[in-house]
Amino acid sequence: MTGKLTWRYRRFVSIAQRVRSSVALRGWRGTLSRISQEFASRPAFDDTLALLPLDVPFEPFELPSSAQPRVSIVIPVHGKLAYTLACLRSIAAAPPSDPFEVIVIDDASPDETADTLARVRGLRLLRNTENLGFVGSCNRGAAEARGEFVVFLNNDTQVTPGWTEELLRCFDLRPNCGIAGSQLVYPDGRLQEAGAWVFADGSAWTIGRFEPRTDPTVRYAREVDYVSGASLAIRCETFAALGGFDARFAPGYYEDTDLAFAARAAGLEVWYVPTSVVIHAEGISSAGAPQNGMKRFQDINLAKFADKWREALTRQPAPGTPLARVAEQRRRGTVLVVDVATPDASRDSGSLRLISMMRLLVDDGWHVVFAPDDGRADDAAIRELGRLGIEVIARPWNDGVPSWLSRNASGLRAAILSRHTVAAQYAPFVRRHAPGAKLIFDTVDLHFLREERGAEQAGSAALSRQASVTREQELKLIAAADTTFVVSEYERSLLARMLPDARVELLSNIHEVHGRTRGHEGRRDLLFVGGFGHPPNADAMRWMADAILPALHRVLPDVRILVAGDVPEGERRTLAAAGLTMLGRVPDLTPLMESALASIAPLRFGAGVKGKINMAMSHGLPVIGTPMAVEGMRLTDGVDVLTAETPDDIVAAYRTLAGDPYRWTLLSERSLAHVEEHFSATAALAALRNAIGRRA
C-alpha cells in the first residue's frame, strides 16, 4: 500500500478502537454525545477566557518576581516563542499573590527564543547547551528552584487569576496532598482534562474531555490517579525525595503519570483542582504525527510505565471498566445531601454546620453530592463547594433530586435530608430508588419545639396549630429514618422520651477553634450575629432595639450593639433608627470578634444549639445570653458564659466584663476550651460514621 493508504488504514483502525473503548467506558449514549461534542462547530477561541493574542510584536516587560519565593514556576521551552511570550504575559497579568519566581529552561531552541527571553525582566533563564527534552529540562529547573513549591507549566498555556493560589490551597486543605493539578481547558472553551484514571494495562483516560468546563460534575476537587504535567504543583522536597521525573521517560510522555504513582506509593495523594484554571493549546509543545513526532513516545513510554509499575497496576481497574465504576472504586461510595438552599457560611450557622459536615465526609473518603431543594446554585457557590470536593446538582445542569436518584442510585450509600420540609419530599424517592442506602434525617433543630415556644411567646393560636402539624411530621420522619441528627443534648433527651425506639445521634455545630489574638484592653461594643429571616433572631433584634439598648444607654451611653446579618431594608431602617448599628452580612467576622467586648444572644424562644454562641466562643469572645439561648449547650453560668434574663441583667453582665479584665480573660479561655471539647470535628465525624455505617 502507498504511504497515504497506509495512513488512512491506521487512522480507520485507531478511530474504530476509540469508538469501541468509548462505548465500553461511557455506553452508546455517552459515546454519541462525545462524538457530537468533538465535531460541533465552535469558534477557535472562547472570548470569556480573555486569551492574550500570539501575534504581538515583542516589547520588553517585567515579571514581579521575588528573591525569596514561595512558588517556583518552571517552564521548559523548545522554540514556539510566540506561545512562550503569551504564557509569560499571562503570568504578568495575573501574578501569584505568594512571592514567586519564574524559571524558563531554553532547551536548545532553534529560533531566537533565548535572546528574546533574556530581555524579560524578572525572569530566570537557564540555557541547555543540548536538547534534554521535557523531562531533563523540568528536572534541571526544579534543581534550581528556590521556592517551597515547584509548579511545572507548559509554555503553550495561559494562566488565569488565582491559579497558583488554588493549587497551593489544596495542600492547605488536604495535609496528605502530594501533587495538585489544574483544570485544563482548550482555547475554544471546552474542558481538556479534569485529572485522569489509569487502567491495569497502564493506559489512561482523561476525565471530562470536551465536556463544558462549567458543568458542576467537573468542578469539584477529587483524588485522581494522575494530573497532567502541563500544570502540576508539588513541594520541592517531595519532588526531590521521589527522584524527580524519571529519566527513563525522556524526552517526554508518562513522566507525570509515573511521578503520580511514585507519590501514591509514598502514601501521598494526587488531587485535581478545578478552581485552578489553565488554558492549554494541547499539542503545540509536542507537535507531530504519532508515528513520526514526539507523540510516538506515548506508546514507547506506556510500555516502560507498565513494566515499572506492574505490581501497582494489578490494583487498577481493568481496561474497558465503565468510567462511573472506575470513579466509584476510588472512593467509599456516594452520600447525597439535600437542604432548602445552597449553604453560605457567611449567612447563618446552619450553613456553616452543613458545609463542615460535608467536608468531613469528603475527607473521610466519600463522594458528596449536594442538592439545593430550590434548584439554584450560583457560580460562586459551585466554586466554593467544589473547592472542598463537593459536587453540586442544580439547574440547568440537573433537573432535580428524583431524576438524579433514578440515574445514580446504585452507588448511593446514604442520603442526608436536612429539615422536615425537605425530608418529607425526598425520603420516599430515596427508599424507592436506593432501598439499601441509609436514610438520615437531619433536623437542624427540632422545628416543632421552636414553633411551640414561638407560639407561646406570641400568644398565637394559629402558630400553635402550625406547631402541632410540624410536630406530627417531624416525629413521623424520625420514626421512619435509619438515623436522626439533633444538635443538642436537650433535644436528644426529649426524643428519647417521645420516641424511645428511634435512632438518634447528637451532631452539633462544628467549629474550628480560631483562638484569640487580642486581650481585654480597648474592647467596647456588643456583637449580635444572625439574619432577620430566622424568627428568634428577628424577635431578639426588636427586643435589643426596644429595651436592651435603652437600658444600656441609661448607664453607658457610648456602648453600641453591632448587628451582623441579613435584614430586609425596611426593618433595617427601623432598627437603625432605634440605635442598633446595622452592618448587614459580614463575610469575615474575625475583626468584629477581635474588637467587641462580648457577644450578645438575647433569644426568647427557639431550639437547638445556637451557632452565634459557638462562633463567638471559638474566637475567645465571652457570651452574654438568655437561658433559652444557652439551653442544651452544656454551659455553666459564670464559668463558660454569663446568663441574663432581663435588659437590666444584660447591663449588669456587660459592666462585669468591662470592669474586670481578669474575669473577662477567664471566660474567654473557658470559651475556647468548651468549643474544643464539645463542638469539634472529631465528635461530628464519629456521629456521621455511626449513621452511615449503621445497619437498618
Side-chain angles (χ1 to χ4, degrees), residues 269-526:
E269 298 167 349
V270 179
W271 280 82
Y272 157 65
V273 183
T275 46
S276 171
V277 179
V278 170
I279 305 137
H280 183 209
E282 184 184 38
I284 294 298
S285 58
S286 57
Q291 289 77 27
N292 303 314
M294 254 296 280
K295 287 194 174 182
R296 73 185 188 275
F297 288 100
Q298 282 183 314
D299 291 336
I300 295 171
N301 286 349
L302 165 58
K304 294 179 182 178
F305 175 80
D307 180 64
K308 177 178 178 180
W309 295 102
R310 186 182 301 110
E311 193 276 330
L313 288 171
T314 61
R315 297 186 291 275
Q316 296 297 117
T321 303
L323 293 178
R325 196 177 305 162
V326 173
E328 287 177 6
Q329 290 176 1
R330 289 302 310 273
R331 45 205 183 202
R332 302 177 64 181
T334 297
V335 177
L336 173 68
V337 181
V338 190
D339 200 356
V340 173
T342 304
D344 179 349
S346 69
R347 183 182 63 215
D348 57 81
S349 63
S351 288
L352 183 62
R353 172 178 174 271
L354 183 62
I355 291 171
S356 298
M357 284 170 53
M358 292 191 290
R359 182 176 172 182
L360 286 172
L361 288 169
V362 170
D363 291 346
D364 206 34
W366 298 98
H367 173 214
V368 177
V369 178
F370 174 77
D373 178 47
D374 63 10
R376 296 196 296 269
D378 61 22
D379 184 78
I382 294 171
R383 176 181 171 86
E384 184 61 34
L385 293 178
R387 178 186 288 122
L388 300 177
I390 301 161
E391 180 182 355
V392 177
I393 57 173
R395 294 191 299 264
W397 305 104
N398 193 280
D399 52 359
V401 172
S403 177
W404 183 90
L405 280 168
S406 68
R407 297 191 303 270
N408 297 278
S410 62
L412 190 67
R413 179 67 178 274
I416 302 175
L417 307 179
S418 298
R419 308 174 208 273
H420 70 98
T421 53
V422 168
Q425 291 181 68
Y426 299 117
F429 290 100
V430 174
R431 291 300 194 203
R432 181 187 312 159
H433 292 293
K438 296 292 182 283
L439 179 61
I440 301 168
F441 173 36
D442 181 17
T443 63
V444 181
D445 61 34
L446 286 176
H447 286 51
F448 78 80
L449 185 60
R450 169 158 47 89
E451 289 175 354
E452 286 175 351
R453 290 170 170 175
E456 182 179 354
Q457 174 71 24
S460 170
L463 289 179
S464 181
R465 289 192 294 271
Q466 175 60 43
S468 296
V469 172
T470 301
R471 173 194 282 255
E472 181 180 355
Q473 188 174 61
E474 283 190 304
L475 294 182
K476 182 178 179 180
L477 287 165
I478 292 166
D482 293 317
T483 299
T484 295
F485 289 149
V486 295
V487 296
S488 75
E489 190 61 53
Y490 176 84
E491 291 180 344
R492 181 160 65 173
S493 299
L494 177 64
L495 291 180
R497 297 192 298 272
M498 299 177 75
L499 292 171
D501 294 331
R503 297 180 288 273
V504 180
E505 287 278 351
L506 177 63
L507 201 166
S508 197
N509 290 349
I510 308 162
H511 289 274
E512 176 186 351
V513 179
H514 299 285
R516 187 189 70 241
T517 60
R518 181 181 171 188
H520 177 272
E521 186 178 357
R523 293 175 178 262
R524 183 186 67 169
D525 300 320
L526 293 173

